[in-house]
Each structure stands twice: as structure tokens, then as C-alpha cells.
Amino acid sequence: MTDTPTHCPYCALQCGMTLGGGPPPAAAARPGAGPPLRVTPRTDVPANQGGLCQKGWTSAEVLTVPDRLTTPLMRPRRGAPLEPCTWDRALDRIAAEARRLRDAHGPDAVAVFGGGGLTNEKAYQLGKFARIALGTSQIDYNGRFCMSSAAAAVGRAFGMDRGLPGPVTDLAAADAILLAGGNVAETMPPFMRHVTAMQQAGGAFIVVDPRRTATAKQADLHLQPTPGTDLALANGMLHLALTEGLVDEAYIAARTSGFEAVRTVVNSYWPDRVERITGVPVPHMREAVRLLARGQRSYILTARGAEQHARGVDMVTAFINLALALGLPGREGAGYGCVTGQGNGQGGREHGQKADQLPGYRRIDDPAARAHVAAVWGVDPQTLPGPGRSAYELLSALGTPGGPRLLLLFGSNPVVSAPRAAAVEERLDALEFLVAADFVLSETAARADVVLPTAQWAEESGTMTNLEGRVLRRRRAVAPPDGVRTDLEIIAELARRLDAPGVWSADPAEVFDELRAASAGGLADYSGITYERIEREGGVFWPCPSPGHPGTPRPFLDRFATPDGRARFTPVEHSGAVEDIDADYPVYLTTGRVLAQYQSGAQTRRVRPLTEAAPEAFVEMHPDLAERLGIDDGADVRVASRRGTATVRARLTDAIRHDTVFIPFHWAGRERANLLTNPALDPVSRMPEFKVCAVRLEPVAAPPADGVGGRDIGGVHAGGIGGVHAGGIGGVHAGGIDDGEIDESGAAREPSGASR
């Protein structure tokens, strides 16, 4: 077969790779292996420059997992097992149930939940389908759990939400980079190439994280705050910048507004007070500020650790205020940026999956925006619904009086990924009808009334927008298995059955052309981007409002996207976590990812090298805390919050604070970190407080007689249907000092300085 240049299916770095015929030699040597494609990293993609992580090297194996679905499944009645059926029967049933419930209870009785991994074309078509085929306002997506706080803060400050302020390659020439709440050495290892290049040229790397992660180990300075205190830390650093004369007063006067109100607020964040709040020593704060201010090419970046809070918008705003005071945004090779997580976390939120947005980053309550998009769709603007519920609010309303009674789910697994996951399970079970489009029977799909088998990343074409704002081509390398359809085909067939107005193409190129027209004139304007330009130029940065426009790799160089062209300071105050520790729950819990797994694990927990590297969840804790609680390394631990209990294995390390524990969130069953997490929502972004809650821990002496205290390791156990049950003890917790790079077999090369 012909080699196909494309991009990795996982994180927002969207590393370039080529897919060719035949399995890699190491995979061919493994009994039972045989991915149909050979993965080779591309050197012509600036984001990864020839590097791949373990997930990228093994990405082709996802296409041939043993429990892949190739025929629709349907329950003949509630409580009956899923049974194979034809596509026509499945689609007819879905359309009939949607009609019945809309007629009886109104259009908002039907809801749609999407995903941040869907292509731009699918995200766009899904938003269109919800609003004019179903007529519902009830649509949101799992990206609300990823980027929403940063998006709201950036929009408030700069007038437009773009993840990074320029190409990721600009980082290599920085004077300093501060990364708050990100572990990129494990979540996107090739990103570290750019950080390492900066350090080798004399730049400084500062990491803010309660854990000494693989990323923090590479830092020149590690600030280790109490979870939930990032806002106080940022305000304290701005206070120090003011007292030491490091703010850029000329820049503030020329390019910003609102600084005096911020100056007044941060005057009370004197260094000793901030040290008491955060636990970060004053000399470390002072050194961080001096490193950032020593040149004009510094970056302040945030990731989920600073954003997934009930005050996440304000936390990000505090770091933006610091960046503005130092004169960084709007300068080439400097600024504030957000390290986007999901593969299309940027593009997925630009074109209509969010409850409050229409394509092109248009507000759904803006009459002009409604008129423009309605004209492209060929409908009356008055027929478009208004804003709906945000992601967690939507999930919480399922099956309640006045809430949705039917849910269509595309590309998401909220049984594992949503906060207070046990309550989400209850709400899904309260629905009259649940539909899941997925490639396997995930923990959520296993609860569905109809499951539709969908094509995977290498089996379909489309575009993705990476963390830089660069629109890239994903190219089809192989045909999907017989019996499998693409999401665009599914949406088009359902729209036809529902007599939806307008055109419903299943051709990605045709859908992209319609997206271009719908986005024209919006903040995220794709109208000048074509498949041909992406092919020719290796990607195009939005906004790109015309075919002759060069694209915008570095927005804000001349002016910000606000009405007056100035960036806005916003004063913010520290208030701490919604749920603080107390006598009953005396330890902070924070959550995150590990190198060998991704998101809810529905893909990666089925890939043998990845389950061998990271077969089970664990709770990371300081040895002093473990000694006080009588917990041994490797022992089973029961971790309880006010919302639920998880059972995981203890991993002792001095790389975490004494008062904090960490659990990765990739696993299902009783290992789910999100059984514990707090669903308290940010008032602006509606982001849940994933990153801090109060827990207590106790050793598990032996499983209870009824077996309830058991632990699900690695695979899928929903409904007892299929799944991979990968055993083993322990797992590689590989760091990133050498990028966490991987050899062709998919095995991790242990980086120097990392520990197992």
C-alpha cells in the first residue's frame, strides 16, 4: 500500500506520522499482534520533529483490538442484552425514539454529547445536527472538562481564544518558560524537545506543580504549591514584580487597560502571606519572577492543573495578569498560552459542539451570528435554539423532570471521565434511551440501548486543529472494517430519517467547505483554508479569512481582538478550593495522566505495550503520610471522598507533598479517580473542580466476603461484555528528560533520572 502522511490520534500536539503497509518488525514478533499499518514519525512536522511517544508508536494497534465492534448492537427492550442488528434497524429505531420523545416532551428532551477528539468536520456537523435536525439546545462535549477555563479567561483578556500565542517551535528561543499545572513530559513527550532546546541555549524552565513530575524533574526551578492555591501564587509573583520594578509600565500604558484595579488587589499579596497560603518559599517565588522578567521572550503557560478548578477562569486570569504586567503577550516569541490536551481540543470547541456557540466561535445568542449561520444552513434564524446546559449540568439533568430523556453520545466515555462518576452512571441509567457511537464497547457504550460501530482515525479523512491553532489534514490510510461507518455517515443518515432541512453530506471535503462558509467572519475564521492549502503548506493557522490570506501564526502582534485593541487586566482574589481538608477528610487529592495511557483509556487500555507499561491505577503518596496511615508500598488502599470510594494500589514517593495524593484517571471500575472528584463548577466556564478535593485513605486488609472491594485492572468490565483484562503488577512511570521517547517496538526507553 502507499504510505500515507497523517497525524497521531491522541493529544493536541498532533505529531506527524506516516502510515505504511505491514506491521513494524517488533510488533510482528509478538504472538497475536498484527496491526495493519506501520507507523513512522515524520520529520517535516514542526511540532514533533521526528519524535513520537509510546502511544504514537503503537497507535495502529488500536485499529485491530480484539473487541472492536463491526456491527450495530441493540437491546430489544430495556434490561435485555445487546444483540447484533442491521444498520437500518438501528438507525430507524433511533430516529423513531427521537421523534417520539420530541413530540411528547419538546425538542430539549433529546440531547447530544460530543468529544474533543472529533475532527473539525464531525464537530461542526454534530452541532448542526443538534440544532436543526433535532432542534435541541442540549448539546455540549467533553472538551468542557479540558479547555473551557482557559478559553474563557483568554477570551476575556485578549478577545479571542487561541491556545498558544505562536508556533510551538518559538519556545526553543525563549528566555524563560513557566508552566503551571502541566506534565508535558508524560502527556505529550515530543513537546519537551522545544523546552530542552531552550534550556540548552540558556533559557530557564519553571514548573508549578504539587508533584515533582517527570516535567518538574527537568525544570530549573520547581514551585510546589498546595493544590488549589495557584491564583494566590500568581498574584504573589505579580506583587514581587511590582515591588522589584520588573513590570513593563510602557507596555501596560500602550497595550492594556484595567491595570490599576489589579495593582490594588495584588498589593495585599505580600510574599510572607503568599508563602503561608501556597507553601512556596519566598526566595523561589522571587527567583521565578526574575527569570521571567530577565528578557522580553518569556512564556507563561497553563494546563489542566491550573484550569480544572471551580475558580479555574480566575486562576488562569491571574497568570495572564502576570504575563501582561511583564509585557509578554502580543510580542513575537513571548506571551501567555494554554497547553491544549485533547487531539482536537482547539478545533472541537470552535465550530458548534459547545452549548453556547455556533461555528466560527460565534455566540449562539448573538442575532448577527445566528443570521449568518442560519443562512448557510438554509433555515430561519428564529428556528435555532438558544444556549443549552454545559457538559456536567447536561449529564446531571439526564432523566430528571424537565431534563433530556434521550442522549446521543459521540466520542466520549463519561462513565470514566466525568466528575462524580457514580452519579453520572445513575443519570445515564435514568434515560429512556441512550445511543453511543464508538469503536468498542466502552464503559459508557455498554449501558446504551443502541451502539453504532464507528470508523477510527486512520480509516477516515478530515482536519484537526492543534494546540498552535494550525489546521492539519488527517488522511485516510485504510478502509474501515466491513460493517463500520463513519460518524459523518451516521449523522447524515439520521438527519435524513428526521427530515432535516439542508444538505447533509458524508464527504469530509464537502462538510469542510460548508464549515468554511459558516465560520466566515467569525473569530475562528476558516474561510480561506482549503484541503489543497493544508497539503501544500503543511497546515494553515486560523484566522484565515480569504484564500490569499497567509494565515495567522502569531495573533495579537499589532492589536488584541478586543473592541479597542487593548488586552484587559481583570482583578482576581484567591479563595481556595471549594472543599478543603478537615478532620474527616484530611488529605488533598489531585488527578492527572501517565505516559502510557490517554484520557478514559478506552483506546490505550486495549493496546498490549501500553497496558504492560501501565496496567493499573495507583495512588501516589509521600512515605511519611503512608507511615502515619500504616500503608505499605504496593498495598491496596481505599481512597474515599464525600462522593465515593476507589480502591487502588499504593505507590510511595517523596516527589509529592506530604498533604497530597495523586491518582491517574484512565482506569474504570473501582479504580476510577472520578468516583472521588468534586463536580463544583466554575461560574463562568462551567469547568468542574477535578484537580483538588478532600479524601481519606486506609489500607485494605483483605477483600470483603461479598467481593465488593475488588479492583478492576486495565480493561473493560462494563456489563461483562468483552474487553481486555491486562494483568501485571506495577508499571513504568517513565519520565521525560529524554522526551520519554520510544523505540520502534513501542517500548519505552528509560530516560535518565527517571524512576520506576
Side-chain angles (χ1 to χ4, degrees):
M1 63 174 289
T2 303
D3 285 354
T4 304
T6 189
H7 295 270
C8 180
Y10 294 115
C11 79
L13 197 58
Q14 285 296 286
C15 294
M17 60 172 56
T18 298
L19 301 178
R30 288 199 300 271
L37 300 172
R38 180 185 64 254
V39 173
T40 306
R42 290 167 59 187
T43 58
D44 62 334
V45 175
N48 64 303
Q49 299 175 339
L52 288 177
C53 75
Q54 189 175 19
K55 294 183 292 293
W57 274 112
T58 60
S59 55
E61 297 196 30
V62 174
L63 305 175
T64 55
V65 295
D67 59 339
R68 178 152 188 194
L69 301 175
T70 57
T71 187
L73 302 174
M74 186 166 66
R75 299 183 198 278
R77 62 190 177 281
R78 180 53 62 93
L82 288 165
E83 299 175 355
C85 69
T86 66
W87 273 99
D88 282 340
R89 281 189 62 206
L91 295 171
D92 287 347
R93 174 98 181 271
I94 295 166
E97 292 290 340
R99 285 184 186 278
R100 176 180 69 82
L101 292 168
R102 285 190 312 173
D103 292 346
H105 305 285
D108 281 357
V110 181
V112 176
F113 199 87
L118 301 181
T119 63
N120 289 317
E121 292 80 359
K122 293 192 287 188
Y124 166 81
Q125 196 87 312
L126 198 59
K128 175 185 173 182
F129 175 79
R131 276 135 188 158
I132 68 174
L134 297 173
T136 184
S137 68
Q138 302 299 293
I139 175 172
D140 213 88
Y141 81 128
N142 63 16
R144 179 78 66 169
F145 300 155
C146 177
M147 284 288 299
S148 58
S149 290
V154 171
R156 183 165 70 182
F158 306 138
M160 184 178 80
D161 163 36
R162 263 272 299 269
L164 291 185
V168 67
T169 48
D170 284 358
L171 298 175
D175 296 309
I177 298 170
L178 181 146
L179 173 62
N183 184 16
V184 289
E186 294 199 63
T187 60
M188 49 180 67
F191 185 99
M192 292 299 292
R193 290 176 171 235
H194 311 290
V195 175
T196 300
M198 175 206 66
Q199 290 178 294
Q200 290 173 344
F205 186 37
I206 308 157
V207 172
V208 180
D209 200 302
R211 304 167 60 222
R212 191 170 71 251
T213 62
T215 307
K217 289 175 183 177
Q218 185 162 336
D220 300 286
L221 177 63
H222 177 205
L223 310 182
Q224 202 166 6
T226 301
T229 64
D230 301 63
L231 193 158
L233 177 64
N235 276 2
M237 291 173 66
L238 179 48
H239 178 103
L240 285 167
L242 282 163
T243 58
E244 299 199 2
L246 299 176
V247 301
D248 190 332
E249 298 284 2
Y251 170 94
I252 291 169
R255 301 208 59 186
T256 74
S257 62
F259 181 60
E260 289 310 312
V262 170
R263 188 197 299 265
T264 299
V265 166
V266 301
N267 277 343
S268 66
Y269 285 80
W270 54 89
D272 290 345
R273 178 194 175 204
V274 174
E275 180 174 326
R276 288 195 299 272
I277 293 171
T278 66
V280 177
V282 172
H284 290 182
M285 287 186 272
R286 182 171 285 112
E287 182 183 359
V289 173
R290 289 174 176 173
L291 289 171
L292 287 170
R294 68 180 182 178
Q296 293 187 338
R297 297 176 65 87
S298 292
Y299 289 88
I300 295 176
L301 307 177
T302 63
R304 304 303 80 73
E307 299 161 12
Q308 288 181 322
H309 295 271
R311 291 285 307 282
V313 175
D314 286 351
M315 282 195 181
V316 174
T317 296
F319 284 105
I320 291 174
N321 288 342
L322 177 60
L324 288 170
L326 296 175
L328 304 178
R331 283 184 166 144
E332 183 172 344
Y336 164 81
C338 170
V339 182
T340 308
Q342 293 193 75
N344 203 27
Q346 179 73 55
R349 68 182 184 273
E350 295 168 358
H351 298 299
Q353 283 193 98
K354 285 183 73 176
D356 55 353
Q357 287 185 349
L358 289 172
Y361 247 134
R362 288 182 162 89
R363 289 180 57 92
I364 200 169
D365 57 2
D366 177 0
R370 293 168 64 87
H372 174 86
V373 174
V376 174
W377 290 348
V379 299
D380 185 336
Q382 298 301 316
T383 64
L384 297 180
R389 296 177 173 94
S390 70
Y392 186 76
E393 291 167 307
L394 174 57
L395 294 172
S396 297
L398 298 177
T400 64
R405 296 165 179 257
L406 181 152
L407 178 66
L408 292 159
L409 193 75
F410 287 80
S412 187
N413 188 16
V415 165
V416 177
S417 63
R420 202 179 184 186
V424 171
E425 286 182 306
E426 293 175 2
R427 300 280 31 99
L428 290 169
D429 291 345
L431 287 166
E432 292 188 36
F433 205 72
L434 173 61
V435 180
D438 213 327
F439 82 111
V440 292
L441 208 61
S442 71
E443 288 76 17
T444 306
R447 312 180 91 87
D449 297 283
V450 175
V451 183
L452 304 175
T454 58
Q456 275 288 287
W457 62 285
E459 301 162 351
E460 59 183 358
S461 296
T463 59
M464 306 286 278
T465 305
N466 76 350
L467 79 175
E468 307 164 295
R470 191 195 305 254
V471 184
L472 304 165
R473 277 294 311 278
R474 175 179 286 180
R475 298 167 179 85
R476 172 170 154 157
V478 293
D482 291 341
V484 170
R485 298 187 182 182
T486 69
D487 290 329
L488 290 181
E489 290 172 330
I490 293 168
I491 294 168
E493 284 294 321
L494 287 174
R496 181 178 64 80
R497 283 168 166 80
L498 292 166
D499 300 319
V503 176
W504 296 90
S505 176
D507 181 342
E510 292 178 2
V511 175
F512 187 74
D513 282 342
E514 186 178 299
L515 179 159
R516 293 171 58 213
S519 74
L523 286 172
D525 191 333
Y526 282 36
S527 59
I529 304 175
T530 64
Y531 278 17
E532 292 73 24
R533 278 196 67 180
I534 298 172
E535 297 266 7
R536 186 171 62 250
E537 300 174 23
V540 182
F541 290 89
W542 71 264
C544 184
S546 67
H549 192 280
T552 313
R554 300 177 183 88
F556 316 138
L557 293 183
D558 299 319
R559 69 189 309 275
F560 295 97
T562 55
D564 61 3
R566 290 172 172 262
R568 301 186 186 99
F569 281 95
T570 301
V572 289
E573 292 270 19
H574 167 73
S575 61
V578 169
E579 181 179 83
D580 207 347
I581 56 177
D582 57 21
D584 293 326
Y585 298 93
V587 179
Y588 293 109
L589 167 70
T590 191
T591 65
R593 286 170 50 189
V594 296
L595 175 65
Q597 299 291 345
Y598 181 72
Q599 301 300 88
S600 75
Q603 296 161 290
T604 51
R605 282 188 279 118
R606 289 172 161 82
V607 176
R608 183 183 298 175
L610 303 181
T611 58
E612 290 172 350
E616 61 182 348
F618 56 88
V619 56
E620 184 179 279
M621 67 179 73
H622 197 280
D624 292 349
L625 175 62
E627 183 178 7
R628 289 200 304 273
L629 298 176
I631 294 172
D632 295 326
D633 192 23
D636 284 349
V637 179
R638 187 174 293 115
V639 185
S641 76
R642 290 178 173 86
R643 289 152 296 279
T645 302
T647 303
V648 289
R649 198 182 301 277
R651 179 177 292 179
L652 307 190
T653 174
D654 64 1
I656 193 166
R657 293 173 53 96
H658 294 70
D659 59 358
T660 302
V661 297
F662 166 82
I663 302 178
F665 58 74
H666 311 289
W667 282 271
R670 299 300 288 272
E671 293 184 299
R672 277 177 294 173
N674 282 319
L675 290 168
L676 310 169
T677 47
N678 192 344
L681 300 179
D682 185 286
V684 177
S685 68
R686 317 311 288 167
M687 167 74 82
E689 187 148 276
F690 284 104
K691 281 296 181 279
V692 57
C693 70
V695 297
R696 63 171 178 260
L697 298 91
E698 59 185 19
V700 178
D706 61 5
V708 172
R711 190 177 65 254
D712 293 333
I713 300 177
V716 174
H717 301 271
I721 305 174
V724 178
H725 187 86
I729 59 171
V732 178
H733 188 68
I737 293 179
D738 295 326
D739 288 345
E741 289 188 8
I742 307 301
D743 64 27
E744 190 174 346
S745 71
R749 292 203 310 263
E750 186 71 19
S752 57
S755 61
R756 292 181 183 268

